[in-house]
Amino acid sequence: AKSMRGNQYRLYRDNMDEANDKWLLLETKLHQALKKDLLELHYQPKIDLKTDTIIGMEALLRWYDPELGHIPPDRFIPFAEECGLINDIGVWVLGKACAQAKLWNESHNLRLRVAVNISPIHISTSGFVDMVKGVIAGTGIDPHLLEIEITEMSMLDYTEDLINTINQLRALGITISLDDFGTGYSSLNYLKKFPVDVLKIDRAFVRDIVPEKSGIAMISAMISLAHALNLQVVAEGVEEEAELNVLREHGCEYVQGYYFSKPLSVEDFTNLIVQSFTN
Ligand code: C2E
Ligand code: CA
Ligand code: CA
Ligand code: CA
């Protein structure tokens, strides 16, 4: 029995070492990617359903590693949160997205609002608001054209500090969105306490719209709830015209999704702007 355990232990050790190596490799690579500007932002348009025009865009991280290939953000963001790189990534994304939005707006005479995803870990860091002020000053972006998306998860261990931070950001003119709404564990009670401007209804609910009646009831209830709380609504992951129609019918203000456009490279988004705003 003793030697058995010994074997098991060795097996365990080997697995651990392997996991450790992978971890270290990924951490080194992500660190390098950040330092050498190998991360890239793609932008997905947000559409105003009243006017059918682009009112802004969400910045989404892309990481291509020559050896590892494309690594999706769903995989490396949680990793970055664990290994402590997430704050540096957040600062980089914010700076990059604000500079790009400023450039697009100036060269095409627009007022598009850029949305940036910020990790709950990062936003809870002291000095976050000052950092954001620094980015605003450095890029010259109008803070009214900046939106910060935080996931519902952030609300889970909400503190007075977090509410304070959100209030300070809003006082600067920044829009705060609650991302992935409906998927977390937050009670409706949190919604009342959290000073957000926008609810982003998760794709999981949009997908359920058609043909299920109960799906429509859910969406309709979520939109009503948002409006009752004076919040705007964005539906995420709209892929079908039928989904769009239901959302429109129930008064959803904004949509994002493949139906209109996938997240686009800077070059492709520039083309989309030119195509959409010149006639
Ligand atoms: P998210 O913030 O909920 O972003 C929406 C995700 O849905 C994006 O995946 C987007 O490409 C995808 N999507 C958009 N429209 C559709 C659609 O019609 N159908 C389907 N099936 N998917 C659609 P992506 O880019 O892979 O990002 C995944 C997640 O990674 C994001 O979810 C966000 O939580 C995180 N993430 C991405 N970029 C950043 C970043 O810069 N910072 C942080 N902290 N997190 C990020
Ligand atoms: Ca988001
Ligand atoms: Ca989302
Ligand atoms: Ca998500």
Side-chain angles (χ1 to χ4, degrees):
K2 205 173 179 191
S3 77
M4 260 296 272
R5 216 172 316 167
N7 278 338
Q8 268 172 2
Y9 177 68
R10 201 168 315 122
L11 199 66
Y12 174 71
R13 267 294 298 266
D14 286 351
N15 282 340
M16 280 296 282
D17 287 350
E18 208 177 296
N20 257 332
D21 287 351
K22 267 198 196 143
W23 179 279
L24 271 175
L25 175 72
L26 207 59
E27 183 172 349
T28 308
K29 278 189 176 289
L30 187 53
H31 196 80
Q32 298 261 313
L34 188 60
K35 267 205 334 219
K36 294 185 179 161
D37 237 18
L38 299 177
L39 297 177
E40 208 186 316
L41 287 177
H42 281 198
Y43 295 88
Q44 186 177 39
K46 298 197 187 197
I47 314 294
D48 182 339
L49 287 186
K50 274 197 284 296
T51 56
D52 281 321
T53 54
I54 302 171
I55 47 107
M57 55 279 173
E58 176 177 5
L60 292 156
L61 261 174
R62 296 293 176 258
W63 178 21
Y64 176 76
D65 180 87
E67 277 171 279
L68 304 174
H70 288 282
I71 305 155
D74 274 338
R75 269 189 56 208
F76 72 80
I77 292 294
F79 174 79
E81 287 175 334
E82 273 193 67
C83 74
L85 280 171
I86 194 63
N87 291 13
D88 289 345
I89 289 179
V91 173
W92 182 87
V93 169
L94 206 54
K96 198 87 175 170
C98 288
Q100 185 61 61
K102 170 93 176 161
L103 193 66
W104 274 327
N105 284 331
E106 279 194 344
S107 45
H108 300 276
N109 195 25
L110 298 168
R111 286 185 58 80
L112 301 177
R113 187 164 77 196
V114 69
V116 172
N117 292 285
I118 292 293
S119 160
I121 294 172
H122 193 189
I123 202 168
S124 307
T125 311
S126 71
F128 183 81
V129 176
D130 285 336
M131 181 278 290
V132 174
K133 280 184 189 164
V135 170
I136 291 170
T139 57
I141 193 173
D142 176 351
H144 293 94
L145 300 180
L146 174 59
E147 177 174 345
I148 288 180
E149 299 191 1
I150 48 178
T151 56
E152 207 184 358
M153 280 305 286
S154 348
M155 306 298 156
L156 213 55
D157 48 11
Y158 73 90
T159 60
E160 286 301 318
D161 282 351
L162 181 55
I163 295 179
N164 238 322
T165 297
I166 293 177
N167 278 329
Q168 287 180 59
L169 294 168
R170 291 181 80 211
L172 295 174
I174 297 169
T175 304
I176 306 291
S177 296
L178 189 53
D179 207 347
D180 299 348
F181 180 67
T183 62
Y185 306 93
S186 72
S187 73
L188 294 178
N189 210 21
Y190 287 0
L191 259 191
K192 219 171 47 185
K193 295 198 178 110
F194 265 89
V196 302
D197 304 285
V198 181
L199 276 195
K200 292 194 78 177
I201 298 180
D202 194 79
R203 165 163 160 68
F205 298 95
V206 174
R207 204 169 30 201
D208 273 356
I209 285 183
V210 186
E212 269 184 80
K213 281 272 169 11
S214 62
I216 297 179
M218 274 300 261
I219 284 280
S220 160
M222 287 168 111
I223 295 171
S224 301
L225 173 69
H227 288 167
L229 294 170
N230 263 319
L231 305 175
Q232 297 182 325
V233 186
V234 182
E236 300 192 275
V238 177
E239 294 183 354
E240 314 274 341
E241 188 166 12
E243 295 166 352
L244 185 68
N245 291 338
V246 169
L247 289 163
R248 220 189 263 281
E249 202 182 307
H250 288 86
C252 175
E253 281 98 345
Y254 309 109
V255 290
Q256 258 181 283
Y258 296 170
Y259 179 76
F260 289 98
S261 169
K262 296 201 168 188
L264 302 171
S265 67
V266 167
E267 194 191 348
D268 289 344
F269 196 89
T270 304
N271 289 334
L272 179 69
I273 287 177
V274 171
Q275 199 188 306
S276 310
F277 293 103
T278 47
N279 36 25

